[in-house]
Amino acid sequence: MIRTGELRALTGARGIAAWLVVFYHLRQSLPPVPAWVMAVLDKGYLAVDFFFVLSGFVIALSWGARFDRERWQAAPLFLRRRFARVWPLHAVVLTGGVGLALLLWVTGRHDPVTYPFVDLPIHYLLIQNWGFAYLAWNEPAWSISAESFAYLMFPALVFALRLERRRTATLLLLSGGLIALQAGVFAVRGVWTLGQFIPQLGLIRCVTGFTLGMLVFRLFARRGRHPALAGSATAVVAATLALGFAGLAETLVAPTGFAALVLLLALTAGRRNNPLETAVLHRLGEWSYATYLAHFLMWKAFKLAFVHAPGPVEWPLIALYAAMVLLASALLYHFVELPAQAWINRPRRTGTPKGAPALR
């Protein structure tokens, strides 16, 4: 199903990024793979930063014009729909993790560091990565917690930045300044990679990437005025790859490259024979949120059930696990995500006189 205003290439890219995160978490359990493959997997955590930029872009695409038109009146509906999008599936997956922790507890294997029952309320509230807790329970949900903070900020960002009024040069300067500011914050901690100090710096990663995505959308909206935009984005992607391999700070290279990549993907969306718009990749993209949230706890449960010795896991078992994640993603998407969104977003009747038509 193609949603109104959807850029299918972005959906396909989201599916690939979700599976990169899956294999990032599997990498230490894989049989021997070529060194270059492991080098890619070792950087799989950066797919989360791609998600942040992509999220800011897509939400600006979907909601920016409405906020420009309706101002603050659009905020309640926006926040309700974002809640419907992220929280129900998070709650279901986290509850599965609680079941796993209880099973470990009754069998005498409970790990209070990985599964701290005392912290469950803040995890259910999705505020765990607002400086309240360390990584625990369903670890990938830290980024959903950070995104929920970005959603709360989105209305204020729309009005504070007034991006539709900014010149292109100003948008580029704002983007560069934002990336430099994030790099500076990380440098104060003495790190130049993005995957460290997640409980302390993850929120900054998210807000930086999310805001960067909003800026990228404003550039995309002006594509008619800048016919060379796709070529420029391609050059930036290539340059950041080269600089990354040369050892330039990841805190500078990764957000720059992802901003250019999202812009390039959006500009080339809809072109004939676009490999990211195939039916398979599009489906993986639709299921990607479920894949991202479910895979980590599923791997914990899978190892308990099927892996009985330390060391690498054989490829047939890896394939079985991947198939189970794929099936779970499809089931969660169709039987949790979509029904929950439909129920929460259903039109409400408030004070409608008997016999009068309901406003929708």
Side-chain angles (χ1 to χ4, degrees):
M1 179 179 65
I2 303 174
R3 294 181 292 273
T4 303
E6 180 190 12
L7 299 174
R8 285 175 63 94
L10 298 183
T11 305
R14 193 170 71 233
I16 294 173
W19 278 95
L20 185 57
V21 174
V22 172
F23 278 93
Y24 167 73
H25 286 130
L26 293 185
R27 70 194 190 285
Q28 299 300 333
S29 298
L30 294 177
V33 296
W36 70 268
V37 173
M38 186 56 69
V40 171
L41 296 182
D42 281 339
K43 291 295 184 179
Y45 62 87
L46 290 176
V48 177
D49 297 272
F50 173 76
F51 284 139
F52 291 150
V53 178
L54 184 61
S55 180
F57 180 96
V58 170
I59 289 177
L61 170 68
S62 303
W63 285 91
R66 185 159 188 166
F67 272 93
D68 290 341
R69 185 173 63 252
E70 299 180 13
R71 315 290 294 172
W72 289 100
Q73 293 178 358
L77 179 61
F78 167 76
L79 292 174
R80 189 176 86 187
R81 291 193 174 176
R82 296 321 300 168
F83 173 84
R85 175 73 177 92
V86 302
W87 190 82
L89 182 63
H90 160 70
V92 168
V93 173
L94 180 56
T95 301
V98 173
L100 175 62
L102 289 173
L103 176 63
L104 292 173
W105 180 69
V106 299
T107 57
R109 295 177 290 175
H110 176 58
D111 179 357
V113 175
T114 304
Y115 306 111
F117 285 101
V118 69
D119 288 343
L120 263 180
I122 61 175
H123 284 267
Y124 271 108
L125 290 171
L126 262 182
I127 59 173
Q128 70 269 28
N129 214 71
W130 297 11
F132 294 112
Y134 57 88
L135 291 180
W137 289 100
N138 187 21
E139 290 187 13
W142 78 262
S143 65
I144 312 304
S145 170
E147 282 239 7
S148 66
F149 183 86
Y151 299 154
L152 291 173
M153 288 189 61
F154 178 73
L157 287 171
V158 169
F159 301 128
L161 295 175
R162 303 281 186 188
L163 297 179
E164 76 282 358
R165 303 181 183 181
R166 306 291 183 183
R167 294 183 177 181
T168 300
T170 303
L171 295 175
L172 293 173
L173 286 172
L174 284 171
S175 300
L178 190 63
I179 293 167
L181 179 62
Q182 175 181 255
V185 171
F186 273 72
V188 168
R189 284 271 184 173
V191 295
W192 292 95
T193 58
L194 290 167
Q196 301 183 56
F197 299 108
I198 289 175
Q200 298 80 23
L201 299 175
L203 203 61
I204 294 170
R205 280 171 71 185
C206 176
V207 173
T208 298
F210 188 89
T211 308
L212 198 57
M214 295 174 62
L215 292 164
V216 169
F217 169 71
R218 292 315 311 178
L219 289 172
F220 171 75
R222 300 176 187 188
R223 59 195 179 281
R225 304 183 218 170
H226 304 288
L229 205 54
S232 300
T234 302
V236 172
V237 170
T240 52
L241 282 173
L243 292 171
F245 280 116
L248 188 65
E250 184 179 283
T251 50
L252 293 170
V253 169
T256 303
F258 289 143
L261 178 59
V262 169
L263 178 58
L264 180 61
L265 293 175
L267 289 169
T268 55
R271 293 190 180 180
R272 188 176 181 182
N273 297 324
N274 188 325
L276 291 174
E277 298 187 4
T278 61
V280 171
L281 280 182
H282 188 260
R283 187 64 69 186
L284 290 180
E286 288 187 320
W287 298 345
S288 61
Y289 181 48
T291 301
Y292 180 77
L293 269 190
H295 80 274
F296 188 81
L297 287 172
M298 285 188 67
W299 180 239
K300 298 275 189 181
F302 185 88
K303 287 194 294 183
L304 287 172
F306 296 102
V307 181
H308 306 295
V313 178
E314 296 298 323
W315 282 116
L317 284 178
I318 295 292
L320 175 62
Y321 164 75
M324 292 172 66
V325 170
L326 193 63
L327 177 61
S329 300
L331 294 174
L332 289 169
Y333 175 75
H334 289 287
F335 295 105
V336 176
E337 283 192 68
L338 294 185
Q341 290 180 55
W343 185 78
I344 295 172
N345 293 329
R346 75 190 190 281
R348 265 71 169 176
R349 296 187 181 186
T350 55
T352 304
K354 187 176 182 180
L359 297 177
R360 296 184 182 268

